[in-house]
Amino acid sequence: MSNVLVTGANRGLGLEFARQYAADGWRVFACCRNPESAQELAVLAGRHHNLSVHRLDVADHEDIDALAGELQDQAVDVLVNNAGTYGNRSAQQLGNIDYEDWSRTLRVNTLGPVRMLEAFLPHLERGERRVAATLTSLMGSIADNTSGGSYIYRTSKAALNAAMKSAAVDLEARGIGILLLHPGWVKTDMGGSSALITPEESIRALRQRIDEFDLSRTGRFINYDGREYPW
Ligand code: NDP
């Protein structure tokens, strides 16, 4: 049995990752900020004894260290850095940028996944698959940016990409692989109802990308369908 840890597992793509991995018999460490109000996760945990729910705010480094300690004897085959925020949508245009929100968003989207990776390196080294898969966004691609705006979200994902690229170089010799995954435009609270694909479709494809991963592909920025994206 393989083990997977998913951040932001109470709704959206994180919940779907937890649902599909649990149904396939993986041991799932499903993490969320407020387990008490995570009703859908509670239902999943009731249905699958291979899924446990853990409190984790990825912006809180003490939370991250506490969880790494709680799971210190466990292997993590696949770390899914999924938790993320768009930031304040009405304060991302020149002239009205909310700098406090920018700072908060960087802490969640950029520092959070890197801190998770650092804290869970020993767990990944104990695993067999040794993959850290991070949900990024095409909006973090500088080469693809033709529409401007979204300063807060774009920079948080571009910086995340840069950091994870370094991690890919630094960790290859230790046998740990890094994947940067764009999930598509997906119908979640973040993606909205006009989005093009469902969480079920996105996560089925992303799990395939994770399954077929080998170290020769470490550090790539790829779409859910496997296409590589420009930085
Ligand atoms: P949602 O807004 O639907 O869900 C976000 C999840 O992240 C929630 O579980 C939320 O928990 C959690 N989260 C937010 N902040 C924190 C935090 N500080 N600590 C722990 N958990 C936190 O987003 P999606 O499911 O759509 O997005 C998942 C990932 O995919 C994100 O990284 C996003 O940037 C990326 N993505 C999504 C796209 C889409 O079209 N949907 C497109 C491109 C990328 P809570 O309920 O407590 O707020």
Side-chain angles (χ1 to χ4, degrees), residues 101 157 227:
D101 187 60
K157 294 296 192 181
R227 263 180 305 149

Side-chain angles (χ1 to χ4, degrees), residues 7-15 31-34 37 56-60 63 81-86 89 104 107-109 134-139 153 156-157 160 181-192 195-197:
T7 64
N10 57 307
R11 60 187 168 98
L13 298 179
L15 179 63
C31 306
C32 63
R33 285 196 281 195
N34 298 302
S37 55
L56 176 69
D57 180 337
V58 300
D60 184 334
D63 255 24
N81 269 319
N82 162 79
T85 173
Y86 199 88
R89 284 182 191 263
R104 264 194 307 276
R107 199 167 169 84
V108 175
N109 289 1
T134 297
L135 277 281
T136 181
S137 171
L138 183 55
M139 289 189 71
Y153 187 65
S156 72
K157 294 296 192 181
L160 173 66
L181 300 168
H182 172 67
W185 184 21
V186 196
K187 294 180 203 292
T188 61
D189 292 338
M190 189 186 291
L196 298 177
I197 58 174

Side-chain angles (χ1 to χ4, degrees), residues 167-180:
V169 174
D170 293 343
L171 295 174
E172 190 172 356
R174 290 165 72 175
I176 296 174
I178 303 289
L179 260 178
L180 284 156

